[in-house]
């Protein structure tokens, strides 16, 4: 029966406003199941059902921005039945009816003032849920960044190993060289650099959980003489303790802040030997104005997932990299690879949902469930992207640049 039937004020007014805005929508695979037993389908054969326990829940649909919908869902103001990817698709279509898209983005974030204490708190908020939590949906090495699928058919484990090798091949890592890995996570890249390439690696992270497990993994691998994992801010790495032949930063510069990119790349420049190579791997905005997130999702992500995170457009990243004296030699877009990576993560999360629910709060469970599936959708839609940028500290001295004239070496 139609949801408008037999309703009285003030419920009728709220529902009338909502349905008036959706009246022309006939292709959203969503059913609104109301507290009074009535339902309203926004499309044929709905794959997702939203159960509204009372009229107060309607306010999260007025307007139906991704911020509002996510806020209502993760805090239990209504329940949603359906697969995570179907939920995100339905929410995205619903948000289109209420939040105009200006270009690819619904709003622009003002830049954030970063400092060491704030950045440490932000990293802890995101990465210190628990190691066991991440282990349930990441690959065996626990690599929490975009994987690399050269044939599209790799498993997640294969694609993450391929990503590590792809990065280390790009920077031409050689036995005995010193590598700094900024934002080293659980140590996978530093360990790979030592095991396969014979390098001396230093990894830095602000996450206590990551630091503890990464150090244990280094000990288990028998690599303590080659790999050092530090609980340290990259800004506190002292060039007087020795410069690095190569530097990698994977999935970290999203935390730096738009106004702090010159400082970030300047610090890398100061730590790199002349002729050294750096590989920056990070999420980028597809909005030339370095916009935030689509359809009004910025507040949710900032509040629940990535506090104080900001995404630069690739042009801004390149400008500030060049301004710091690092010549960009190669730029590779891995947007499709991250969409596939996130799809794997979201599927693993769904597969282990009961176990995850038993180790975190219901709010945390819902936040990560919707976040992983939502990010997969965002990368598929080209709302956000990811770029690997290879750069060299050579200046005008061409003889210092160690790279061949062809990219072929990266794939040999």
């Amino acid at each position: 029966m139609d949801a408008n039937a037999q309703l009285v004020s003030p419920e009728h007014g709220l529902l009338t406003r909502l349905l008036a805005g959706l009246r022309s929508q006939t292709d959203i695979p969503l059913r609104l199941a109301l507290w009074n037993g009535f339902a309203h389908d926004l499309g044929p054969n709905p794959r997702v059902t939203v159960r509204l326990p009372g009229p107060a829940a309607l306010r999260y649909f007025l307007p139906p921005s991704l911020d509002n919908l996510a806020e209502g869902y993760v805090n239990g103001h209504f329940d949603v039945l359906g697969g995570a990817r179907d939920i995100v698709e339905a929410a995205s279509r619903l948000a289109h009816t209420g939040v105009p898209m200006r270009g690819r983005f619904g709003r622009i974030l003002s830049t954030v003032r970063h400092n060491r204490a704030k950045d440490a708190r932000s990293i802890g908020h995101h990465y210190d849920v628990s190691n066991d939590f991440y282990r349930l949906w990441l690959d065996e090495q626990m690599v929490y960044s975009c994987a690399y699928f050269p044939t599209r058919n790799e498993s997640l484990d294969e694609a993450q190993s391929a990503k590590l090798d792809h990065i280390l091949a790009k920077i031409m890592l050689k036995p005995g060289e010193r590598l700094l890995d900024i934002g080293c996570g659980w140590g996978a890249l530093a360990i790979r650099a030592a095991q396969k390439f014979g390098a001396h690696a230093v990894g830095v992270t602000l996450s206590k959980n990551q630091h503890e497990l990464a150090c244990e993994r280094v000990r288990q691998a028998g690599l303590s003489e080659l790999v050092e994992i530090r609980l340290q801010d990259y800004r506190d790495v002292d060039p007087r303790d020795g410069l690095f032949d190569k530097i990698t930063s994977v999935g970290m510069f999203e935390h730096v802040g738009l106004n702090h990119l010159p400082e970030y790349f300047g610090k890398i420049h100061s730590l790199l030997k002349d002729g050294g190579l750096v590989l920056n791997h990070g999420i980028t905005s597809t909005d030339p104005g370095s916009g935030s997130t689509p359809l009004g999702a910025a507040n949710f992500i900032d509040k629940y997932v990535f506090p104080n995170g900001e995404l630069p457009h690739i042009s801004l990243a390149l400008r500030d990299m060049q301004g710091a004296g690092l010549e960009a030699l190669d730029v590779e877009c891995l947007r499709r690879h991250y969409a596939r990576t996130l799809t794997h993560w979201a599927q693993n999360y769904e597969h282990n949902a009961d176990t995850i629910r038993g180790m975190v709060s219901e709010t945390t469970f819902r936040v990560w469930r919707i976040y992983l599936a939502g990010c997969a959708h965002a990368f598929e839609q080209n709302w956000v992207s990811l770029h690997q940028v290879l750069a060299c500290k050579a200046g005008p001295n061409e003889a210092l640049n160690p790279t061949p004239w062809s990219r072929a070496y990266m794939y040999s």
Side-chain angles (χ1 to χ4, degrees), residues 35 44 89 153 158 180 196 205 348 394:
W35 57 94
E89 180 184 352
N153 298 317
E158 292 169 338
L180 173 64
K196 185 171 181 179
T205 178
N348 289 345

Side-chain angles (χ1 to χ4, degrees), residues 152-172:
R152 295 183 60 186
N153 298 317
E154 288 80 7
S155 68
L156 180 60
D157 285 329
E158 292 169 338
Q160 288 293 14
S161 292
K163 186 270 297 295
L164 299 179
D165 289 346
H166 192 45
I167 289 173
L168 296 173
K170 280 187 175 183
I171 62 173
M172 302 175 64

Side-chain angles (χ1 to χ4, degrees), residues 80 95 113 127 212 392-394 411:
V80 184
R113 299 184 69 87
Y127 294 101
E212 181 180 344
C392 180
K393 179 182 175 179
Y411 306 98

Side-chain angles (χ1 to χ4, degrees), residues 135 139-143 186-188 191 212-223:
R135 190 178 284 112
D139 64 300
E140 185 176 355
Q141 299 179 84
M142 294 179 67
V143 182
W186 290 276
I191 290 172
E212 181 180 344
L213 182 56
C215 289
E216 178 59 28
R217 288 183 157 186
V218 170
R219 287 192 293 268
Q220 290 177 350
L223 295 171

